[in-house]
């Protein structure tokens, strides 16, 4: 026997959702306007189906699905390039948006993107056979990064993530390494943008960008530096 699972996701209207996935390199393989709005998009082995609901509120959506890949970096790069070509920038806030690549504590490297319908698509590549959450680190700043990332991306609680970061950065008797500080500041800017606090976001980004880093430190911060650049592109001009 051979089975296949296909998610069917809601949206208020079909056209902006299709425009989004076309920008990502998907092909529209089916579209129906009546008796009910419906569409199908495909890219390689990924197939997503959508149905329209006039009363649907995308900003309140909790619908999601997971896409497994053996080249998460390649897909992230291709999707970012497609979105930049279509929108003139890489959208990181609001709807639609695409998030950064992250090595998660449960053995996957992944990114999240949310389409105009509010559907969150998690795209990940396993990095370990053990998919359970790793214990939080004991070191102060590593633990704060671990917990704040979970609040920001797994729990979708940017306010909770902000509190964790602010608390640890106010410590007088301990200081983070430059790499830890950079990551904390970029994450703080990220969640500030989601909370509509552009002033705090800009301050965190400027502080992170001004940190003196060695070439080795910059190499280890590749994903975070990419995120900083994306966030700066979203700043009001």
């Amino acid at each position: 026997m051979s089975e296949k699972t296909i998610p069917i996701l809601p949206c208020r209207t079909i056209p902006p959702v299709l425009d989004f996935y076309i920008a990502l390199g998907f092909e529209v393989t089916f579209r129906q306007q009546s008796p009910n709005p419906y569409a199908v998009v495909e890219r390689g082995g990924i197939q997503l189906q959508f149905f329209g609901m006039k009363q649907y509120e995308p900003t309140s959506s909790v619908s999601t699905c997971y896409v497994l890949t053996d080249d998460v970096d390649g897909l992230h790069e291709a999707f970012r390039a497609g979105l930049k070509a279509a929108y003139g920038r890489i959208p990181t806030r609001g709807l639609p948006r695409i998030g950064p690549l992250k090595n998660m504590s449960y053995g996957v490297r992944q990114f999240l993107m949310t389409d105009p319908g509010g559907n969150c698509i998690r795209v990940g590549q396993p990095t370990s056979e053990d998919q359970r959450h790793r214990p939080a680190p004991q070191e102060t700043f590593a633990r704060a990064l671990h917990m704040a990332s979970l609040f920001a991306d797994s729990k979708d609680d940017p306010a909770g993530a902000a509190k964790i970061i602010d608390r640890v950065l106010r410590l007088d008797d301990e200081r983070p390494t430059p790499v830890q500080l950079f990551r904390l500041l970029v994450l703080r800017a990220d969640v500030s943008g989601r909370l509509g606090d552009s002033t705090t976001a800009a301050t965190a980004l400027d502080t992170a960008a001004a940190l003196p880093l060695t070439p080795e430190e910059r190499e280890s911060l590749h994903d975070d530096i990419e995120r900083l650049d994306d966030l700066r592109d979203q700043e009001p001009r």
Side-chain angles (χ1 to χ4, degrees), residues 153-172:
D153 296 320
S154 294
K155 294 187 175 183
D156 194 21
D157 181 2
K163 289 179 181 178
I164 292 170
I165 296 169
D166 289 346
R167 187 183 308 120
V168 77
L169 290 182
R170 285 196 298 265
L171 294 176
D172 293 326

